[in-house]
Amino acid sequence: MKVEMSNYLSREKSKLKKIVDTLSETFDYVSLLGTDTKGKGYGVQRTGSNLSDSMWTERGFVLRIYNGRFYSEYSFNQIEEDLDAFIETLKNRFIEEHQILHHANLKTISYPILQEEAITKSFFSEVKIHPQEVSSKEKIEKLTKIMEEGLSYSDHLIDFRCSFEEVNISKCFISTKKDLEQSYIWTQGSLVAIAKKENKTKFYYDSYAGLKGVELMDEMLEDAKSIVDGALQLLDSDRLIPGEYDIICAPDVAGLIAHEAFGHGVEMDMFVKNRAKALEYLNKPVGSKHVTMHDGAQAASNVSSYLFDDEGTLGGDTKVIDQGILKTGISDVLSAMTLGTQPTGNGKRESFERKAYARMTSTFFSGGHDQLEDMIGSIEKGYLLEGVMSGMEDPKNWGIQCMLMQGKEIVNGKLTGKVVSPVIMTGYVPDVLNAVEMVSEEVKFYGSGACGKGHKEWVKTADGGPYIKTRGRLG
Amino acid sequence: MKNLLKQILTSMTNIDGWHILERKIESSEVFYVKDAIDMNRMKNVHHFDVTVYKDFEENNNRYKGSSRTKIAPTMSADEIKEALEDAAYAATFVKNQHYPLIQGYGEQSVVMPSDLSNKHLIDWVPEITKVIYKNEDTIKGINSAELFLNRNHYAILNSEGVDIAYDNHDVELEFITNWKNEGEEVESYKHISFSDLNKEQIATEIQTMIEISKEKASAEDTPSLKGINVLLTGEPAKTMFDYYLTHASAKSVYEQISTFKIGESVQGNFKGDAVTITLEPMLKNSSHARPFDGDGLQLKTTELIKNGKLINYWGGARFAHYLDLEPVGNIDNIVVEPGSKSIEAMKSEPYLELLEFSDFQMNGLTGDFAGEIRLGRYFDGHKVVPVTTGSISGNIHQVQEEFYLSTEIHQINNYKGPKTMQLLNMDIAGN
């Protein structure tokens, strides 16, 4: 079923065009991004349930103008009835704020005027089951059934929490040259088992996400037992003895490494600020020949797959690392202008209220030719790492922090059944990537999380990869 | 818009209650690369979050269903009605144990004082820019910065007569500092928030981070250590208290996540320093200071944990009702009493002091804590060496029976308390 464009944005389009056209008489560049995102989040747990609008729900606009020296933006979510007077107010706000900064003799960066090619294009995704086709009641009932099944498996369970979220993003981008529209739906879900034995509390989860509709819920139906088993196993887990080990990273952990280790490190606004070590390594080896990594809105089909980014640049597929050689970064439009490169369609905003930065979309390692059982068989003493809790980037100095749910012990080429939890993996990124010596075939994607830049600016991203065998420092 | 919402909600016969949270935000934002402005932004937005409630009974049990929806100011009356009817339908099968909404206590409006209210937000930018780039050291040391000046208006209304409003300001400053000695250039990250303009505080925070970057530029790899005393200083010490806050919440107790009981020790059989935490809704210069919580409850200073024993559960009206308690409300500011040891005393024997992490985390549910070390100071009994890389991990149950808090206190936005926490006998994953 095809996803439709927001009626609101379609209705307001002539006004938005008038705003852009009128302001273009004063400013050399004007663009306007309109967003109308609707979504709902459903959750059930032992003590109750909830159903509310998704945190990603928003309706508003952001205007960007060239003030003769650099770019200024204005975020708003009301258009006054007297459109001419409203446009005049917008114009005056831009001029006044720029004059205050100018008269204070503050240093400013000088940008050229953004040159755009004329494009008129639209994209409307398709889903098997549109969220409107299934009632809220049915979705809550489905989640409740999964929860009840989960809770029935063990008396050690404090809770078995099930959630599902559906989000329909509609955006339009208008400038003097561009007229772009898109509407797409992503969904995500999670199942979390929380178990307790004496003083020890542990949780285990799995997540689900995609450029999909309510059909995603079907993927969640069969997993309750394995998730409960995972939590119970963690109750008997030990703490890891800190040290350096041979490790196999499951696809979710491989995705986290791709995201934290190199994704953030090649966001090219970091190149502009001289905050990225990657700039020194372009066309140089950063990993073994088994390492190939992509990012791009068109590189995969997941929660951050779109036609155009929040600056009106068409999304693409960027090969960041090719067989161990760092090839290029991912870019927003202003960073590309500064660096003299082409924007890659990675200019993303948390919402219409926030600035656009160079951000990841779907970031992943390509598959190889190895089998998981051979990878396990090749390890004398090490761990199979699974379950992502969080990660943190260090683009300047290429450190990496991955907080992981568990490590399954491998001794003499076999899983022993012993589990350590939690696990923190740290290290120097090229050391981790240079040590990659085996890579499995199938690539899996994970899109249920959100990515911050530093400690804010949350956006939807997906990441993934195959199983990879490398060496890492665990604590 | 607010009146239209009230009018529609009061006319709906299929709901048993409603709650409106109105937020208006006006902001000026400036983004710097080195000491030059890269972009400026303005924001003027208006939001409404509306929750509708439906009471119902099943098998002689009373339930209160609810659903929250976001109402954009550009929605037509028909669109608003449709969104609210949709929420009302959802509330009929969202099944939560019954609880009462906060009762009204008269119309109240509070304007929280701030220097920032004296002029237009953009007019503060030149002054603050000069504070950020105060001298040659800061111009050389700051890689980039982002400044957000926000003027906020909040109003909370409900069907039971709550009708309150407050206005405040907050400032966010994120900055990256660099330094290079003979080795690689290093960077440090800092994000600070506050409610009033304290130029001295901004200058001090920046200077401190530049000093940290200088130290980091000459840091060696952290060695693997066994049984070392660890001093967590600054943000990581603050983060450690997240465990106690999570487990002292009425919600966690109701959900059986927490077994904390009023009057009982929250630290086991401890022989180190006892934890004493007070919730302070109007903590000076905290960007989280507010007179009312999201339910509309009037907040007051509340003892949470005293000498290691739980005094109160914190939380909103719903979960307090489930535990048959008067609600304390949702208060985001904590004051932790100082401990028994000076930082100097903590440093009288070998230690690893950890000041900066990639992202130090305390899991409030499990008590697990961990982080990758970005800057530490290792004292082996002879000399102090700055160190970087490696990690620490542990669990609160392993450390809480004997940790020590510094006598020295400081404020980090919504936290006022010990600067340093001393953990005994820790293992460090290093080189």
Side-chain angles (χ1 to χ4, degrees), chain A residues 8 11 38 40 45-57 59 61-62 64 67 70-79 93-94 97-98 100-101 104 106-109 111 135-137 140 158-159 161 194 196 199 201-203 239 241-243 272-275 277 334 349 352-355 357 389-397 399-401 403 422 424 426-428 453-457 473-475, chain B residues 25-33 35-47 66-70 72-76 79 86 89-90 93-97 122-123 125-126 129-130 143-144 146 148 172 174 176 178 184-187 189 191 216 226 247 251 254-259 318 357-361 363 365-366 368-372 374 389-395 397-398 427-431:
Chain A
Y8 172 73
R11 209 166 55 226
K38 291 175 184 168
K40 287 208 180 296
Q45 60 186 83
R46 189 181 50 78
T47 52
S49 52
N50 65 73
L51 199 175
S52 291
D53 278 4
S54 160
M55 64 170 277
W56 303 100
T57 299
R59 182 189 273 188
F61 308 94
V62 53
R64 174 182 279 182
N67 63 29
F70 55 96
Y71 290 84
S72 298
E73 292 187 342
Y74 185 82
S75 297
F76 58 100
N77 66 348
Q78 288 180 92
I79 299 173
R93 280 296 302 272
F94 279 120
E97 292 235 346
H98 184 230
I100 288 166
L101 299 176
L106 301 177
K107 270 173 85 172
T108 54
I109 287 173
Y111 277 95
S135 75
S136 301
K137 192 176 180 198
I140 287 277
I158 300 173
D159 212 342
R161 297 177 178 176
I194 305 172
K196 188 164 190 166
N199 222 1
T201 306
K202 290 286 178 184
F203 68 93
R239 291 202 76 82
I241 297 169
V272 173
K273 294 172 182 170
N274 195 27
R275 286 191 62 199
K277 197 183 183 70
L334 295 182
R349 301 173 190 272
F352 75 90
E353 297 183 40
R354 308 295 292 192
K355 182 180 182 286
Y357 300 81
M389 289 159 78
S390 69
M392 194 66 200
E393 77 273 20
D394 180 13
K396 181 74 180 174
N397 302 110
I400 183 172
Q401 168 178 314
M403 306 284 276
I424 175 169
T426 60
Y428 182 58
K453 190 137 175 139
H455 293 264
K456 57 184 185 63
E457 312 298 342
R473 188 195 300 138
L474 309 180
Chain B
I25 307 164
E26 183 195 335
S27 78
S28 268
E29 305 167 4
V30 184
F31 300 81
Y32 307 86
V33 175
D35 58 339
I37 293 173
D38 182 50
M39 175 180 273
N40 74 306
R41 287 180 38 83
M42 298 156 266
K43 182 162 90 176
N44 196 345
V45 294
H46 197 176
H47 300 289
S66 66
S67 183
R68 182 177 46 78
T69 187
K70 295 183 178 192
T74 44
M75 280 180 165
S76 65
E79 276 184 297
D86 193 33
Y89 165 68
F93 53 83
V94 169
K95 202 162 130 184
N96 294 313
Q97 191 184 327
I122 184 67
D123 291 328
V125 169
T129 303
K130 280 171 192 151
N143 167 285
S144 49
E146 298 185 357
F148 301 81
E172 286 180 73
E174 181 190 78
I176 312 295
N178 283 157
E184 280 192 351
E185 187 174 67
V186 298
E187 75 169 31
Y189 170 96
H191 181 270
K216 202 168 152 186
K226 283 197 176 299
H247 283 254
K251 182 172 188 281
Y254 177 70
E255 292 175 349
Q256 296 179 19
I257 297 296
S258 168
T259 52
R318 176 180 165 196
F357 286 88
S358 300
D359 183 21
F360 185 76
Q361 293 190 359
N363 186 310
L365 175 67
T366 63
D368 291 324
F369 60 87
E372 185 210 16
R374 293 261 170 106
T389 70
S391 67
I392 184 175
S393 64
N395 185 281
H397 297 292
Q398 161 205 352
D427 293 346
I428 299 295
N431 283 313

